Amino acid sequence: MTISLVQGLPALRAGSPAAARTALVLHGGGGPRTVAPLVGHLAATMHAFAPTHPGWEGTTRPDSIASVAQLAAAYLARLREHGERDVVLFGSSIGGWVALEMAVQAAADDRCAGVIGAVVVIDGVGAVVDGEPVADFFSLDARGLAEAAWHHPERGYLDPARLTDEQRAIQQANGRTIAAVAGRSMSDPTLLGRLDTVDVPALVVWGESDRIVTPAYGRAVARAIPGARFVEVPEAGHLPHLEAPDATWAAMEPFLAKL
């Protein structure tokens, strides 16, 4: 399977393409490296595939992809083109938003019947929840981002002075892409009210120390999805699969085992 939306876009792959299930892993603002451990873990039982979203990591973003809804629609179209069935979507941060948008769109489109089999959202942004705003990502410096996104901020802090010019340019370009696709608020005021149409099993996983989007925000998202389960990962922030991988796998496995 190749889900690149633009010719030549890189992707992480692991597991046998002949595996019973395909896992489409959707990264957040930090790019595909942030979901690499998730891809590696899923490879034991699935064919895990994590494409680079267009516009991230120095890649090209076509004008036709200027919103999360358009990105989600493009991924759904590619899944249909490849004849994929029963795909499990895994989405981290902005990728969680893309995954939910894909599930909502698929539920409303007969052409997508059977394409999506389940959704796992990991600290996803995108919804507007009263009293639980998404942190202003664009106002945070490197230290502030680490403190908001990590239970142990020193583990997540990247000293800007240690970045190469190339790394700094990619980081800045990623930020411009986030603003262009997700908006500076990284939210869609219509999303929460549309989640009641999701018709596949859903799991919402959240780091207990996430201050980008709080666990209370995550619970509100889970409540809006029919039958969704919510699991909190202790001693983890916005990227629990990086900060507390064993606890994250333990949170996911009971759900995945029942699919």
Side-chain angles (χ1 to χ4, degrees), residues 33 37 142-143 145-147 149-159 234-237 239-246:
R33 66 177 180 81
R143 181 67 68 183
L145 180 59
E147 290 175 352
W150 289 73
H151 179 79
H152 299 288
E154 67 278 4
R155 291 183 57 188
Y157 175 64
L158 296 175
D159 185 352
E235 297 188 18
L239 302 167
H241 51 289
L242 294 185
E243 195 167 12
D246 290 344

Side-chain angles (χ1 to χ4, degrees), residues 21-35:
R21 301 290 290 267
T22 293
L24 178 60
V25 182
L26 301 162
H27 68 75
R33 66 177 180 81
T34 62
V35 294

Side-chain angles (χ1 to χ4, degrees), residues 63-136:
D63 292 340
S64 60
I65 298 177
S67 69
V68 166
Q70 290 173 339
L71 182 58
Y75 277 131
L76 276 176
R78 292 307 295 268
L79 289 175
R80 292 200 315 270
E81 289 170 11
H82 286 271
E84 288 290 334
R85 308 286 295 176
D86 212 23
V87 175
V88 183
L89 303 178
F90 293 81
S92 168
S93 189
I94 292 171
W97 180 4
V98 178
L100 288 174
E101 184 66 42
M102 289 177 69
V104 168
Q105 291 183 20
D109 188 342
D110 290 342
R111 298 173 300 169
C112 296
V115 173
I116 306 301
V119 181
V120 178
V121 175
I122 304 173
D123 295 74
V125 299
V128 173
V129 175
D130 288 344
E132 299 293 339
V134 179
D136 185 358

Side-chain angles (χ1 to χ4, degrees), residues 24-241:
L24 178 60
V25 182
L26 301 162
H27 68 75
R33 66 177 180 81
T34 62
V35 294
L38 182 55
V39 171
H41 177 77
L42 295 172
T45 55
M46 298 182 181
H47 176 218
F49 185 90
T52 299
H53 305 323
W56 265 265
E57 305 301 295
T59 61
T60 300
R61 179 179 61 85
D63 292 340
S64 60
I65 298 177
S67 69
V68 166
Q70 290 173 339
L71 182 58
Y75 277 131
L76 276 176
R78 292 307 295 268
L79 289 175
R80 292 200 315 270
E81 289 170 11
H82 286 271
E84 288 290 334
R85 308 286 295 176
D86 212 23
V87 175
V88 183
L89 303 178
F90 293 81
S92 168
S93 189
I94 292 171
W97 180 4
V98 178
L100 288 174
E101 184 66 42
M102 289 177 69
V104 168
Q105 291 183 20
D109 188 342
D110 290 342
R111 298 173 300 169
C112 296
V115 173
I116 306 301
V119 181
V120 178
V121 175
I122 304 173
D123 295 74
V125 299
V128 173
V129 175
D130 288 344
E132 299 293 339
V134 179
D136 185 358
F137 168 82
F138 294 96
S139 72
L140 297 172
D141 60 12
R143 181 67 68 183
L145 180 59
E147 290 175 352
W150 289 73
H151 179 79
H152 299 288
E154 67 278 4
R155 291 183 57 188
Y157 175 64
L158 296 175
D159 185 352
R162 302 184 66 178
L163 297 177
T164 66
D165 289 343
E166 181 181 8
Q167 289 171 327
R168 190 173 294 105
I170 288 175
Q171 188 180 73
Q172 291 169 349
N174 286 354
R176 290 192 294 272
T177 299
I178 294 170
V181 174
R184 294 189 67 87
S185 69
M186 295 197 297
S187 61
D188 173 357
T190 74
L191 179 63
L192 197 68
R194 293 185 288 123
L195 294 181
D196 62 357
T197 65
V198 174
D199 58 1
V200 296
L203 174 68
V204 179
V205 179
W206 227 263
E208 70 167 354
S209 300
D210 190 356
R211 290 177 291 278
I212 298 293
V213 273
T214 66
Y217 175 106
R219 290 189 186 92
V221 170
R223 285 195 299 269
I225 304 169
R229 291 186 55 211
F230 179 84
V231 182
E232 195 168 299
V233 179
E235 297 188 18
H238 192 61
L239 302 167
H241 51 289

